[in-house]
Amino acid sequence: MAYRGKKPMKAHDKFLACALAYACISLAPSMAHATESGASLYVPGFKSAVAGITPPPGFYFEADGYSYSGRLSAGKTTQLGGAVLANVKVQARAGFLTATWVTPAEILGGNLGFAATLPLGDPRVSAGALVVAPRFGRVLGGKMRDSEFLVGDPVLTSFIGWRKGNFNWQIGASASIPSGSYRDDALSNLSFNRLIGDLYVAATWLDPKIGLEVSGSAGYEMNGRNYATQYTSGNAVHADLAVSQYLTKDLSIGFLAAHYQQVTRDSGAGNHLGSYRGRVTAIGGTIAYTLNVAGVPVSTRLKVLREVKVENRPRGAIALLTIALPLGAPAAPGGAPAATPAALHDD
């Protein structure tokens, strides 16, 4: 895959155009397993592949399908909706709809962008025993299962992204805003019912000559109080790593690793479990492919991760399927046209 003469820069732009199609995949926040109700803005592996790449100025749409199945280990308890439960099983099937705007405005040479995400889906929770249940048992009527199609709290994100040669980096902040959709004393909720902020940095090194991409991100999550349960979740740090190899301009496969760890304790009058600091480590893989539909690059990516080390949380498997596309096909940096299937090969 060597290039001669003036072709390296042109091939770089073509190859990067394909990667940029994937970049909006990493802009939307999602859910994970930590803190009260086992939910957080962070999900293992979400900000991993191409996390540091910011798309060219324009509008983008993304749909993420999220699936999680897990259970709490025997002898462990967790807290949901003010109740302490044991033998908990969780199944979540959710979708996240994200609109992203990368503006032409520049801050310190980087492009400014905004994104808004709306979650919706059906989280299913079952428990083998109620350990502590103030107000809770009366509402459930003794039921130990709960499932409902719900709309969650909207998430707003702002970010700035830069590029220099093969290196791309980005800083950003996300906030989950309570929407009032929280169901008091229910096992199943898609709403956090608390303010959550997340500050993150991400970087991607992408060499189009060999088709290798290395991406990483790190962030700090800040949790507010759920006033319905009087529970304040602890703050946490998180990190992701992805190494991918492009087999062609359109197809890549890669390895994922992720870690989430609370660094401050849970608290509040409604906290019945004490410090209860959560920790999750997950590993997995990803495969991505870009389709060309009427001249528009439509990027698809599948991520599958297994939680291999967990403390105070359910342990299970995560699957994420993402479809993302520009609303109007933007040019690649430098005005290069959309990439062709032969972009990775000699002419």
Side-chain angles (χ1 to χ4, degrees):
M1 291 186 292
Y3 297 96
R4 297 177 295 271
K6 295 183 178 180
K7 289 182 180 178
M9 179 59 69
K10 184 177 180 181
H12 180 280
D13 286 340
K14 287 183 176 182
F15 184 83
L16 187 57
C18 179
L20 288 171
Y22 290 124
C24 52
I25 290 175
S26 67
L27 298 179
S30 188
M31 297 175 62
H33 301 273
T35 63
E36 185 194 15
S37 301
S40 170
L41 280 182
Y42 170 78
V43 63
F46 205 86
K47 285 189 180 300
S48 51
V50 299
I53 298 180
T54 299
F59 294 91
Y60 300 83
F61 175 75
E62 173 186 337
D64 294 279
Y66 171 80
S67 176
Y68 177 81
S69 296
R71 65 181 302 169
L72 205 64
S73 61
K76 291 287 186 178
T77 56
T78 191
Q79 188 159 335
L80 293 166
V84 178
L85 306 105
N87 193 22
V88 173
K89 297 181 181 179
V90 180
Q91 286 189 324
R93 306 292 184 264
F96 300 89
L97 306 178
T98 301
T100 299
W101 177 35
V102 181
T103 75
E106 292 189 358
I107 297 178
L108 300 177
N111 282 110
L112 173 67
F114 302 94
T117 300
L118 181 66
L120 62 164
D122 181 16
R124 302 180 180 185
V125 181
S126 64
L130 289 172
V131 181
V132 178
R135 302 181 296 118
F136 198 80
R138 296 196 304 273
V139 175
L140 283 180
K143 290 193 300 181
M144 303 298 287
R145 296 183 180 181
D146 191 18
S147 175
E148 187 80 19
F149 184 83
L150 303 167
V151 176
D153 299 333
V155 180
L156 304 178
T157 301
S158 180
F159 56 90
I160 307 171
W162 295 265
R163 174 195 168 200
K164 185 174 182 180
N166 292 342
F167 188 58
N168 303 262
W169 66 103
Q170 185 184 107
I171 61 172
S174 296
S176 175
I177 312 299
S179 62
S181 60
Y182 182 77
R183 301 192 303 151
D184 202 8
D185 295 333
L187 282 176
S188 174
N189 264 300
L190 199 58
S191 169
F192 303 116
N193 201 43
R194 64 182 186 266
L195 283 170
I196 307 175
D198 190 273
L199 303 175
Y200 71 88
V201 296
T204 293
W205 180 80
L206 174 62
D207 189 337
K209 293 182 179 180
I210 59 176
L212 180 65
E213 177 226 328
V214 179
S215 293
S217 68
Y220 185 75
E221 177 188 274
M222 299 162 285
N223 284 283
R225 172 168 294 192
N226 181 345
Y227 287 96
T229 60
Q230 294 300 310
Y231 193 111
T232 301
S233 299
N235 299 336
V237 294
H238 56 82
D240 287 272
L241 174 67
V243 179
S244 296
Q245 178 65 49
Y246 282 81
L247 306 179
T248 71
K249 173 195 65 65
D250 298 314
L251 176 66
S252 70
I253 58 174
F255 166 79
L256 306 175
H259 183 73
Y260 177 101
Q261 184 167 344
Q262 281 185 240
V263 293
T264 65
R265 66 186 302 273
D266 292 353
S267 61
N271 173 21
H272 302 288
L273 296 176
S275 178
Y276 202 70
R277 299 190 188 197
R279 180 174 177 171
V280 178
T281 300
I283 59 174
T286 179
I287 183 169
Y289 188 74
T290 296
L291 305 170
N292 193 300
V293 180
V296 177
V298 178
S299 60
T300 61
R301 183 180 291 276
L302 175 65
K303 299 177 183 178
V304 178
L305 298 101
R306 178 71 182 178
E307 294 170 332
V308 295
K309 188 173 183 180
V310 179
E311 294 181 8
N312 292 328
R313 297 295 179 258
R315 173 180 291 182
I318 302 164
L320 277 163
L321 176 62
T322 300
I323 299 174
L325 68 156
L327 302 179
T340 63
L344 284 180
H345 306 280
D346 288 333
D347 293 334

